[in-house]
Amino acid sequence: MISQAKHILLPTDFSECSKNALNHAALLADKFGARITLLNVIDPPFNFPTNVDGVIDYLQENAEQHLERLIEHVDEQYPKRTFKLKHQIRIGKPISQILEAISDLNIDLVVLGSAMDAPTRKVLFGSVSTDVILRSTKPVLAVPEGVKHVGFEKILFTTNFRHKDLRNLEHLAEFAKLFNSEIHVLHVTDKEDLETDIKFRGMKELVKEKKIYKKIDFELKTSDDAFIGISEYVNDNDISMMVMNRYIKSVIGLLLDKNYAKKMSIYSTVPLLVLIGE
């Protein structure tokens, strides 16, 4: 359950984007009573023309200095912080090292930055964040570059009525209680039909019967493109965080499917929390 997370992993490349993600991680750690591990991964420059070991030693020293400055930044933002903050440097490919760290360190939540160069729409750190989203065994909070507000006043929970969606909504409600957040449950469909209406009404009634949380609203929206429908809802309702459910698919399914969770992590203007479905 995300509201009971006790160990947060924050992969960092020392960019402003990952520094912004650290601000979100610090808020969560302060509220959860969790600890944070900062992780920097050094990708070995095997094609470097000089001594590789010497280069790696230099990169490690440089990373240590950057990590210490990040800790100083958190100390300035949270002078009375009670959560612990440690750091770790690993050598290898970023995605593999992040996934190994999630397992090795018994991580409960991953918080990372997702950046994009606006003029070219070239994915920068976002390529790592989307890989982590698709492969992590734990929830991932991706914080887009440029998000300045740190808060969770209005949370959007998207659903396709999969059987684990209700469980994840219950977990999200516990999170929302900590921040007194509103939860907006949204289903986007390309056409309104009886089956969709029955599922939507059924989920709404079930949530009401279970008394999961008082501040929950439900919305059924029609759009030819789910991504566009979700984006419009985010903009129209001043959403501060989106939540999507990731379901395990076959390799070919990942290659062929649009995969909206991946798409949203790249183009989103608000933080995206991806929960594990099945």
Side-chain angles (χ1 to χ4, degrees), residues 187-205:
H187 175 71
V188 179
T189 180
D190 58 356
K191 61 179 180 180
E192 292 189 26
D193 54 27
L194 181 60
E195 181 181 359
T196 299
D197 189 55
I198 290 174
K199 289 180 179 179
F200 179 76
R201 290 175 182 270
M203 185 176 188
K204 185 176 180 179
E205 288 301 315

Side-chain angles (χ1 to χ4, degrees), residues 3-217:
S3 62
Q4 297 178 357
K6 294 303 178 185
H7 196 179
I8 299 172
L9 179 69
L10 189 129
T12 177
D13 59 357
F14 309 124
S15 64
E16 284 300 314
C17 178
S18 56
K19 185 177 180 180
N20 192 31
L22 176 57
N23 293 332
H24 285 75
L27 173 63
L28 294 175
D30 191 55
K31 184 69 72 171
F32 297 163
R35 66 187 189 276
I36 300 174
T37 294
L38 303 175
L39 174 65
N40 177 250
V41 180
I42 297 174
D43 195 352
F46 289 118
N47 59 345
F48 207 82
T50 58
N51 180 272
V52 173
D53 291 336
V55 172
I56 291 178
D57 288 343
Y58 168 77
L59 293 175
Q60 284 182 306
E61 291 178 8
N62 188 54
E64 285 282 356
Q65 294 175 6
H66 279 290
L67 288 167
E68 289 174 4
R69 283 197 287 270
L70 280 179
I71 294 175
E72 290 174 0
H73 166 75
V74 174
D75 288 338
E76 291 175 1
Q77 296 293 112
Y78 291 84
K80 297 181 180 180
R81 69 178 174 91
T82 57
F83 60 88
K84 294 181 179 180
L85 186 61
K86 296 183 178 180
H87 67 269
Q88 188 174 107
I89 298 173
R90 295 191 176 208
I91 299 173
K93 295 299 179 182
I95 181 61
S96 62
Q97 292 302 316
I98 292 171
L99 294 176
E100 285 183 17
I102 291 172
S103 176
D104 296 345
L105 303 177
N106 196 24
I107 296 299
D108 300 306
L109 172 67
V110 181
V111 180
L112 41 67
S114 182
M116 170 171 281
D117 179 56
T120 64
R121 301 195 71 77
K122 178 182 178 182
V123 178
L124 302 174
F125 193 57
S127 62
V128 174
S129 67
T130 50
D131 281 343
V132 174
I133 284 172
L134 292 176
R135 298 171 62 182
S136 173
T137 56
K138 300 296 181 179
V140 178
L141 177 63
V143 181
E145 184 178 28
V147 173
K148 300 302 180 185
H149 176 67
V150 182
F152 307 99
E153 293 85 359
K154 293 184 178 181
I155 302 173
L156 174 62
F157 180 88
T158 61
T159 179
N160 279 323
F161 312 123
R162 301 284 288 271
H163 72 282
K164 292 293 180 66
D165 285 10
L166 182 59
R167 180 206 63 181
N168 283 346
L169 180 57
E170 290 178 310
H171 291 174
L172 181 63
E174 295 303 315
F175 174 94
K177 290 174 185 177
L178 295 175
F179 296 93
N180 195 30
S181 310
E182 297 176 9
I183 298 179
H184 298 245
V185 179
L186 174 69
H187 175 71
V188 179
T189 180
D190 58 356
K191 61 179 180 180
E192 292 189 26
D193 54 27
L194 181 60
E195 181 181 359
T196 299
D197 189 55
I198 290 174
K199 289 180 179 179
F200 179 76
R201 290 175 182 270
M203 185 176 188
K204 185 176 180 179
E205 288 301 315
L206 189 56
V207 169
K208 184 178 180 180
E209 288 177 10
K210 293 170 74 70
K211 298 180 180 179
I212 292 174
Y213 186 52
K214 290 183 178 180
K215 301 173 70 173
I216 298 183
D217 291 323

